[in-house]
Amino acid sequence: MTDPSHEQSYPTAEIAPVAGPVELVRKLRSRLWGVTLLCLVVAIGLVWAELRSNGTQIQIAFADGSGLVPGDRVRYRGIDVGEVKSVLLNTSLDRAVVTVVLNAESAPLAREGTRFWIERPDIRLGQVRGLDTLMGGRYVGVIPGPKDAPWANRFEGLSDPPTAVENVFDGLEIVLESSQRYGLQRGSPVSYRGVEIGHVVSVGLTNNSSRVVARTFIQGEYRSLVRENSRFWSNSGIDLRLGIHGLELDAETLATIAAGGVAMATPDVPGKRVATGHRFDLVKSPREEWLRWQPHMAIGSALLPENVPIPQPMLGVSRGEKQLGLFGGGQRRGWILALEDATLLGPADLLTAQEEDNRTLEISGKTLVLDAEGVTTSGRLATRKLSESLASIDAIWPRTRIRSIADAADLPNELVVTCGTDNLTIPLATDRITFENDLWTIDPEIPLDEDWHGACVLSVEDGYLIGIVVQTSEGMLIEPIPAELLQGE
């Protein structure tokens, strides 16, 4: 008999509500939206990747196509940066519109101020260019605009290739006016004491056709030479003079005779510096007094503040008799800076010698014996006090423009490495220097090699000398100038 108090258990089932048609449609729509959104993201990514792979498309309007055809290259510094896609006439039939596609990595060239031209053979007296187009076909040349210029995709092409200019935005552009052309043409050199410091950009007439005007570019490192009282004259052609000493012939180089040229001089008491657009008179011949002017004006760099001079280190070669080999294994080469009181500053391996090494230093046309006298060494740098004067050296760097930096934290953010000229001067950001174990190692990607051994390192902020570049087994380093080397003897 079954105990009634004992309840028998039975299995139970959970009953879930069955989704109706409305609920099913809602779930399906939610999933479709998710799939649609995912497909949209993938499509956008594919389109972006396709655009990047195809590059940036721009259009350039030229006066004529000059034989350019689709497939011709676009080149910058000898490197292909794009390709010509089409060459067509515009709707008014007065211009040739060239469609160019720049490579993805060359997209920054598409900015305002960028200049394009069609490179073709150009053979004239004093200038030959574009000979590579005779065999390889014509191409579109390019010079980029300012780095901070806005983006652009339509450009006006140049009729002629521009004269090659480095740091065009750091230079000085002036205007020369004259009654005659005096043989000037685009590219004619501008010289100071026979050294080329700029060139003529263009030659034309004034608005009333009464004068000739020549737009002239002065390189950035020489802009301090041009003052309000500077004088300019034509130095093209051949000058024949009959004097008490007979017939005198005065002629410039063949290129100057053919292309014309401009010379300039500044008085012994220079006037104020001029700004871009300043106008000067250009005369046919100089006065005698102009040729006697010898002002002392510091030549700076476009990377440094205005009126800040740039060091002029001298190239020195150190030789050791006991280390001479068939391939010059005992020879060391580098830059050495002249200081006051006939003192030289530079890498220690150039200014010092080990015992019985009989090492000599060739510098400034002299051969110096590197004995133990007059030498102060600190780390990888040294100073050497010479027994003879350095009066023949004009570029003496004052000790007052040298700053000792003991802590890397005090290093300026922006530096300049220089061997004395703008083509041997490069900027160097502090974040490209590694500070470890008292070594200030320069990033190997910076284009510095053994040819920069002894180069000067300046602060961009004030132009003070703070270090010397030295080549070591650890790489190219910056050796800060210690205080003990700054004390005169």
Side-chain angles (χ1 to χ4, degrees), residues 201-243:
V201 177
S202 65
V203 182
L205 294 173
T206 57
N207 293 336
N208 58 9
S209 68
S210 63
R211 303 270 286 174
V212 176
V213 291
R215 290 177 48 233
T216 304
F217 178 82
I218 304 298
Q219 299 175 28
E221 61 180 305
Y222 298 117
R223 62 180 300 164
S224 63
L225 299 177
V226 183
R227 305 300 179 96
E228 289 181 342
N229 52 357
S230 296
R231 296 292 181 263
F232 294 82
W233 66 89
S234 170
N235 66 346
S236 58
I238 301 176
D239 185 15
L240 287 173
R241 296 187 301 271
L242 182 62

Side-chain angles (χ1 to χ4, degrees), residues 77-368:
R77 294 185 179 272
I79 300 174
D80 290 343
V81 296
E83 181 179 343
V84 175
K85 286 300 182 183
S86 66
V87 182
L88 303 171
L89 289 173
N90 63 359
T91 55
S92 58
L93 305 180
D94 62 352
R95 305 284 282 172
V97 179
V98 179
T99 300
V100 166
V101 176
L102 299 174
N103 301 338
E105 61 274 10
S106 304
L109 291 173
R111 58 183 183 236
E112 291 184 5
T114 298
R115 292 168 291 170
F116 298 88
W117 70 93
I118 300 176
E119 191 68 59
R120 49 188 177 269
D122 184 8
I123 302 175
R124 67 183 73 174
L125 191 60
Q127 176 180 336
V128 177
R129 65 176 296 156
L131 294 184
D132 55 336
T133 61
L134 293 175
M135 300 295 294
R138 303 189 178 191
Y139 60 88
V140 177
V142 55
I143 292 180
K147 294 181 180 179
D148 56 350
W151 181 83
N153 63 352
R154 295 182 181 273
F155 300 87
E156 285 291 327
L158 303 177
S159 300
D160 297 302
T163 305
V165 175
E166 296 290 341
N167 299 324
V168 62
F169 301 102
D170 297 320
L172 173 69
E173 186 172 302
I174 58 177
V175 179
L176 304 180
E177 293 188 1
S178 60
S179 58
Q180 299 293 328
R181 183 168 183 166
Y182 299 134
L184 293 183
Q185 60 182 0
R186 184 181 61 86
S188 294
V190 179
S191 61
Y192 181 83
R193 299 186 181 278
V195 177
E196 185 173 338
I197 62 172
H199 65 270
V200 174
V201 177
S202 65
V203 182
L205 294 173
T206 57
N207 293 336
N208 58 9
S209 68
S210 63
R211 303 270 286 174
V212 176
V213 291
R215 290 177 48 233
T216 304
F217 178 82
I218 304 298
Q219 299 175 28
E221 61 180 305
Y222 298 117
R223 62 180 300 164
S224 63
L225 299 177
V226 183
R227 305 300 179 96
E228 289 181 342
N229 52 357
S230 296
R231 296 292 181 263
F232 294 82
W233 66 89
S234 170
N235 66 346
S236 58
I238 301 176
D239 185 15
L240 287 173
R241 296 187 301 271
L242 182 62
I244 58 175
H245 299 291
L247 188 64
E248 298 181 5
L249 172 64
D250 185 9
E252 294 291 331
T253 63
L254 180 61
T256 303
I257 295 174
V262 174
M264 67 158 289
T266 298
D268 293 334
V269 181
K272 295 181 179 179
R273 296 181 61 168
V274 301
T276 292
H278 196 90
R279 306 178 84 88
F280 292 93
D281 286 330
L282 175 68
V283 298
K284 184 177 181 180
S285 302
R287 297 180 183 177
E288 290 294 332
E289 61 185 80
W290 299 355
L291 303 178
R292 294 193 296 268
W293 288 343
Q294 292 185 337
H296 292 271
M297 296 179 290
I299 298 177
S301 169
L303 297 173
L304 295 173
E306 196 170 298
N307 296 324
V308 171
I310 188 171
Q312 302 289 323
M314 302 173 291
L315 189 61
V317 178
S318 175
R319 307 179 190 275
E321 292 182 2
K322 301 191 69 174
Q323 298 180 3
L324 288 177
L326 293 177
F327 302 101
Q331 176 176 302
R332 301 167 187 167
R333 180 177 178 273
W335 300 91
I336 299 174
L337 187 64
L339 305 179
E340 301 133 319
D341 304 325
T343 302
L344 301 178
L345 168 65
D349 60 357
L350 296 177
L351 296 175
T352 61
Q354 299 178 355
E355 296 182 1
E356 300 180 359
D357 193 8
N358 296 326
R359 184 166 288 274
T360 59
L361 174 66
E362 298 177 4
I363 187 172
S364 188
K366 302 176 183 179
T367 300
L368 310 174

Side-chain angles (χ1 to χ4, degrees), residues 412-436:
N413 292 329
E414 297 293 332
L415 306 174
V416 164
V417 180
T418 182
C419 295
T421 60
D422 261 14
N423 62 334
L424 287 176
T425 300
I426 62 173
L428 178 63
T430 306
D431 57 10
R432 305 302 294 271
I433 304 173
T434 302
F435 305 98
E436 187 176 356

